Amino acid sequence: LADAAPAPDAPDDGAFAKAASYQGSKPGYAFKLGPRGLGYYRDASAPTSTDAPPAVEARQQLASATVIVDVAGASDVELEIDGVLATVGLTCGGERRTFGLRLG
């Protein structure tokens, strides 16, 4: 199967991506033989709130830093700053995600 193309990270139309063989799991997609042929189909039962990580933006000036996190859909948010390291922890759809930012 050396000629097999890797499974796409983002299918062309968002609902289906043709694949000749199973190339590993893709979050939010199921590999199956369906009406459009063999490939990765959007899994309607998969939660969509965790498909993409929250947007994180950091701004820093000489004496201050601002961290902006889009927490839409988050059930828990934690921020910890230890010296020059800022850690943001989010729970979205039951999944815990942690982002670290080095300031300075």
Side-chain angles (χ1 to χ4, degrees):
L1 296 178
D3 296 335
D9 289 331
D12 291 342
D13 68 1
F16 172 74
K18 186 174 183 168
S21 63
Y22 180 74
Q23 299 295 314
S25 66
K26 299 291 175 189
Y29 292 86
F31 181 78
K32 63 184 180 180
L33 180 59
R36 296 174 69 181
L38 187 61
Y40 288 84
Y41 287 81
R42 169 67 72 185
D43 184 357
S45 65
T48 57
S49 63
T50 60
D51 285 350
V56 178
E57 178 183 340
R59 300 180 197 145
Q60 184 171 359
Q61 295 179 345
L62 203 50
S64 66
T66 303
V67 178
I68 301 169
V69 181
D70 179 1
V71 295
S75 59
D76 182 47
V77 180
E78 292 178 2
L79 173 64
E80 181 180 325
I81 299 176
D82 183 14
V84 296
L85 182 62
T87 304
V88 178
L90 302 172
T91 302
C92 295
E95 181 181 345
R96 186 75 179 160
R97 296 175 185 230
T98 303
F99 303 88
L101 301 167
R102 182 166 298 281
L103 309 171

